[in-house]
Amino acid sequence: MIVWIIFLAAILLFLALDLGVFNKTPHIISTREAGKWTGIFVTISFLFSGVIYWLYGNNYIANPDALQPIEASIKFITGYLIELSLSVDNIFVIAIIFSSFRIPQKYQHRVLFWGIIGAIVFRGLMIYFGVLLINKFSWTTYIFGVFLIFTAAKMLFSKDDDKFEPKKSFVYRILRKIIPVTTHIDGEHFFVKRRHITAATPLFVALVVIEVMDVIFAVDSVPAILAITSDPFLVFSSNIFAILGLRSMYFFLSHMLNRFAHLEYSLIAILTFVGLKMLLHDFYIIPEWASLTFIALSLLIGIIVSLKMSE
């Protein structure tokens, strides 16, 4: 538990510094600044695979699957790349939500900051119950596998005009029934008082919609990483690093999302691969290096093709 406590404390410390020091004053995050932070997060994530090697090599953390240190490191990187790639769809949705509720750029960071706090809690709960189900009922692996392949097929055959409209969403309609909602933005506040009535601002509405959408996306991403490993620490840490990097990646890519339109096919390939891996796990074990290679190549090819097609 000491490793878990240190890891969670480090995350909370970083988040405190992020909101209280690095981004104390609301400002528009430039592409250059976002690119710098994206590079920092990716670098730290890959360096953390070395920490994973050290932890598992010295038995400083529970190792339920009896993984070798190099296996644990590869599984962490593979899981991280899966979560990072599946975050791309999340970025598209976040951009639509911010545009729909007309959230000024300088306040978007604050909304995403609190969105990350919620994502960490909800992802933690989903991972806990997902690991519990797989360990207690091994047949649930097949359900997750079929679900991932179904999701990939749905993405492949979905129409381009099936766009998410936040203001027509079930979440928005329910929220308006629970609390008064104002169209007025009062700085970075989530709530305002109007004639003794507390009303939610567009910032809070956007936060709630983003939070719910993240949970929906997690329904795909959590089973996907469980196809790689059911080790709780590897699943949780790879998820957390992907989530922490999502904010900076959003600001980095938000101005050029249209250039990555073909990356969706990479996500379809990855979901199909991990789905098949779950279905075949009792008959054929796919080596970890093969999983990592396939996922990395899928992402690389998707990025290259998208950039070429957008020229």
Side-chain angles (χ1 to χ4, degrees):
M1 289 300 296
I2 293 176
V3 174
W4 279 92
I5 292 170
I6 293 173
F7 181 69
L8 291 172
I11 294 170
L12 292 175
L13 176 62
F14 169 77
L15 290 173
L17 289 172
D18 184 17
L19 191 63
V21 179
F22 302 134
N23 293 282
K24 187 176 182 179
T25 304
H27 65 287
I28 296 175
I29 297 178
S30 65
T31 303
R32 182 177 180 180
E33 181 183 353
K36 180 187 73 175
W37 279 106
T38 299
I40 289 172
F41 276 118
V42 172
T43 302
I44 291 174
S45 300
F46 276 92
L47 289 175
F48 192 75
S49 65
V51 176
I52 293 290
Y53 184 94
W54 175 71
L55 289 173
Y56 283 77
N58 292 281
N59 297 316
Y60 288 146
I61 193 165
N63 188 357
D65 297 333
L67 298 172
Q68 293 297 317
I70 189 65
E71 282 183 295
S73 296
I74 293 175
K75 284 180 181 290
F76 169 81
I77 294 173
T78 306
Y80 170 72
L81 289 178
I82 287 176
E83 295 303 316
L84 201 63
S85 61
L86 294 177
S87 294
V88 174
D89 265 1
N90 219 343
I91 289 174
F92 279 94
V93 172
I94 290 171
I96 293 171
I97 293 170
F98 281 151
S99 174
S100 178
F101 293 110
R102 298 179 181 178
I103 307 299
Q105 284 186 320
K106 66 178 181 178
Y107 300 134
Q108 291 178 5
H109 178 275
R110 179 175 173 81
V111 175
L112 289 180
F113 173 87
W114 290 107
I116 282 177
I117 299 291
I120 290 173
V121 174
F122 288 121
R123 292 288 179 102
L125 290 172
M126 294 181 75
I127 288 167
Y128 173 78
F129 287 110
V131 171
L132 195 67
L133 280 173
I134 284 182
N135 289 335
K136 195 170 182 64
F137 308 105
S138 59
W139 49 267
T140 55
T141 303
Y142 295 107
I143 295 178
F144 287 152
V146 170
F147 175 74
L148 290 175
I149 293 174
F150 170 77
T151 302
K154 189 177 178 181
M155 289 175 64
L156 182 62
F157 296 109
S158 64
K159 297 179 181 179
D160 292 335
D161 54 358
D162 292 339
K163 292 183 179 179
F164 173 64
E165 297 184 47
K167 289 189 175 180
K168 293 182 179 179
S169 67
F170 175 77
V171 181
Y172 179 66
R173 294 200 305 270
I174 291 296
L175 188 62
R176 291 194 66 179
K177 292 180 181 179
I178 297 173
I179 186 173
V181 174
T182 177
T183 57
H184 177 69
I185 292 178
D186 185 12
E188 58 180 11
H189 297 112
F190 288 122
F191 299 96
V192 292
K193 280 197 172 183
R194 294 287 182 269
R195 296 177 181 176
H196 307 292
I197 296 175
T198 301
T201 68
L203 264 69
F204 181 75
V205 177
L207 172 62
V208 173
V209 177
I210 287 173
E211 208 67 78
V212 173
M213 293 307 299
D214 180 75
V215 172
I216 293 172
F217 279 110
V219 173
D220 295 337
S221 65
V222 171
I225 194 172
L226 289 174
I228 304 301
T229 178
S230 59
D231 183 300
F233 186 74
L234 294 179
V235 177
F236 184 71
S237 58
S238 57
N239 253 272
I240 294 305
F241 275 102
I243 290 171
L244 289 176
L246 176 62
R247 236 172 351 153
S248 56
M249 194 164 68
Y250 164 76
F251 290 111
F252 180 62
L253 297 177
S254 59
H255 300 297
M256 46 181 161
L257 286 176
N258 60 320
R259 298 188 66 185
F260 293 92
H262 293 82
L263 195 58
E264 185 176 18
Y265 294 103
S266 295
L267 308 186
I268 292 170
I270 291 170
L271 285 174
T272 303
F273 174 79
V274 294
L276 289 173
K277 184 173 181 178
M278 294 188 98
L279 292 176
L280 299 174
H281 77 284
D282 282 335
F283 309 99
Y284 179 72
I285 302 297
I286 300 175
E288 293 309 322
W289 63 265
S291 297
L292 179 57
T293 303
F294 179 87
I295 291 164
L297 281 176
S298 296
L299 280 174
L300 184 61
I301 292 170
I303 292 171
I304 293 173
V305 171
S306 292
L307 293 176
K308 287 288 184 182
M309 294 291 285
S310 64
E311 289 179 354

